[in-house]
Amino acid sequence: MCSGLVNESKCIFLERQLDFGNVHVALQAKDRTMHIKNQMRTPCIFHVVCNEKELTIFPLKGKIQGDSKLAFKVSFFSATPKTFKSEIVVNIRGGKPLKIPVIVNAIVPEIFIEEKNIDFGGVTFGDSKMMPLTIINESDITAKLILDIRDYPEFEIVLPEPNPDDDVHSEIMVPIQEAPKYDDIVNMNADDVDPLGGEEDEEDEDDEYDEDAKRHVLLSIRASGKPFVLMLKYQPLGVEEPKNFILPLKLSGHGEIAGLRRRVKAVGVKPRFFVDPGCVNFKTKVIAKGQKPLPFNQDINISNPDVNPVSWSIDR
């Protein structure tokens, strides 16, 4: 018979419980930290036991040096709304198991659009019009929304002017960049790729990205309870057919909710004369140091589709 003596390990949790509070459903909650203190001078071995699929804990096993403490990172994720109550058990070799309660409330944020519908009416081709999109978040957590209007190139979102005292204005609307699919890369035709590239191609890609950046975005609406007003801009690209669709605005990770479901209506109206392009964009120009500034020109074409003459003038 073989026997041995093991010194008793004495460890304690420094927190009484882990309370995540209210968290956004279907999104990773902000990590919480718990600490275990080793009250002995000798190291102790631990092993974490937790069978809850909503919780992720790191590290799960290891050693805590004598007279020291170790921090554990605890993550929570729930795809459905629920009130979550459980406990984390940490077995200590040569000591008593430690238990700490975990409390989380995964909720669907109470958020809605104040306008019942968004009707632009008739907008002259070549002109544009903006309508308010007033979003109110009555929850006590930040709501994450995904807006994808890439199928409607006539529309784009315009942010309000930044508040000098607001240091998170740049986080309100963040473009969503989608990685290319593996199949698309595998099936790419090498003959279609220009190995030398080209400035014009790069400019076209930049323009395309800039346009998508305004139409496929992640919106963060903070828990202020105050109305947050975005502007939805409509610039008709033709007069053939009216636009009538449900605004593709969804709660991130959850999908559509009734408070965000709003119908958008708009129609392009034939103008008395045409101006091309509708927007004069000189883009970003770089002038080298010491270089003499030169004017940049862009042509504007005006045409009259009617048989009758039209008088026009330019305001300066």
Side-chain angles (χ1 to χ4, degrees):
M1 183 179 68
C2 180
S3 63
L5 296 176
V6 178
N7 292 331
E8 182 181 4
S9 297
K10 293 183 179 180
C11 296
I12 59 170
F13 274 115
L14 297 185
E15 294 83 13
R16 290 188 175 183
Q17 67 177 13
L18 284 183
D19 190 352
F20 283 76
N22 290 337
V23 301
H24 197 300
V25 66
L27 290 182
Q28 187 78 35
K30 183 178 180 181
D31 293 339
R32 295 294 190 271
T33 303
M34 64 181 188
H35 301 83
I36 292 180
K37 167 84 172 169
N38 183 2
Q39 297 180 310
M40 304 297 288
R41 293 185 178 181
T42 56
C44 68
I45 305 299
F46 69 88
H47 177 251
V48 178
V49 179
C50 183
N51 298 321
E52 304 289 355
K53 63 180 181 180
E54 292 88 352
L55 293 177
T56 303
I57 306 165
F58 180 83
L60 287 175
K61 57 184 178 179
K63 179 190 297 185
I64 305 177
Q65 298 299 329
D67 286 330
S68 62
K69 62 181 180 180
L70 183 66
F72 296 77
K73 183 176 74 173
V74 182
S75 304
F76 177 85
F77 174 87
S78 175
T80 57
K82 66 172 61 176
T83 298
F84 178 88
K85 293 183 179 180
S86 185
E87 64 180 11
I88 299 172
V89 179
V90 180
N91 292 323
I92 305 295
R93 182 183 296 175
K96 296 180 180 179
L98 305 178
K99 298 180 181 181
I100 183 170
V102 182
I103 303 173
V104 195
N105 191 24
I107 65 171
V108 176
E110 296 179 18
I111 189 166
F112 61 92
I113 297 175
E114 191 172 53
E115 292 79 14
K116 297 304 179 184
N117 57 70
I118 306 164
D119 192 348
F120 286 87
V123 179
T124 304
F125 177 74
D127 198 0
S128 63
K129 183 178 180 180
M130 291 198 292
M131 296 282 290
L133 200 63
T134 307
I135 303 176
I136 300 177
N137 181 9
E138 295 184 338
S139 307
D140 60 354
I141 60 173
T142 297
K144 300 286 187 178
L145 309 178
I146 293 179
L147 176 66
D148 188 359
I149 51 175
R150 289 175 294 176
D151 291 338
Y152 308 98
E154 303 93 338
F155 296 86
E156 69 178 67
I157 284 291
V158 179
L159 278 177
E161 291 296 326
N163 186 336
D165 298 329
D166 192 352
D167 59 352
V168 295
H169 185 270
S170 60
E171 300 177 4
I172 293 174
M173 187 171 81
V174 180
I176 298 176
Q177 301 182 26
E178 294 185 351
K181 297 180 180 179
Y182 177 76
D183 291 342
D184 294 339
I185 298 175
V186 172
N187 298 328
M188 183 180 294
N189 189 346
D191 296 335
D192 296 335
V193 180
D194 182 1
L196 299 178
E199 294 184 0
E200 294 183 359
D201 293 340
E202 291 179 0
E203 289 183 359
D204 291 341
E205 290 177 359
D206 290 340
D207 291 343
E208 184 177 350
Y209 171 77
D210 290 341
E211 293 302 317
D212 281 349
K214 301 175 184 177
R215 297 189 175 93
H216 191 203
V217 295
L218 175 67
L219 299 170
S220 297
I221 310 300
R222 291 186 293 174
S224 63
K226 300 178 180 178
F228 181 79
V229 182
L230 297 169
M231 301 302 293
L232 184 62
K233 181 180 178 181
Y234 170 61
Q235 184 172 3
L237 301 179
V239 296
E240 291 80 10
E241 57 180 291
K243 302 300 176 183
N244 188 340
F245 61 95
I246 299 297
L247 184 69
L249 182 63
K250 300 179 180 180
L251 193 65
S252 180
H254 183 73
E256 293 185 356
I257 60 175
L260 300 177
R261 186 179 174 85
R262 295 295 183 266
R263 184 166 294 278
V264 180
K265 296 181 179 180
V267 61
V269 179
K270 184 177 180 181
R272 294 197 61 189
F273 65 93
F274 293 95
V275 178
D276 184 41
C279 175
V280 179
N281 184 4
F282 285 95
K283 303 178 183 178
T284 302
K285 304 297 181 182
V286 179
I287 301 176
K289 185 176 181 180
Q291 179 181 352
K292 182 180 178 180
L294 297 174
F296 297 97
N297 301 317
Q298 187 164 332
D299 294 333
I300 300 176
N301 299 315
I302 300 177
S303 59
N304 178 14
D306 203 347
V307 294
N308 300 316
V310 175
S311 299
W312 61 275
S313 63
I314 297 179
D315 295 333
R316 299 190 61 180

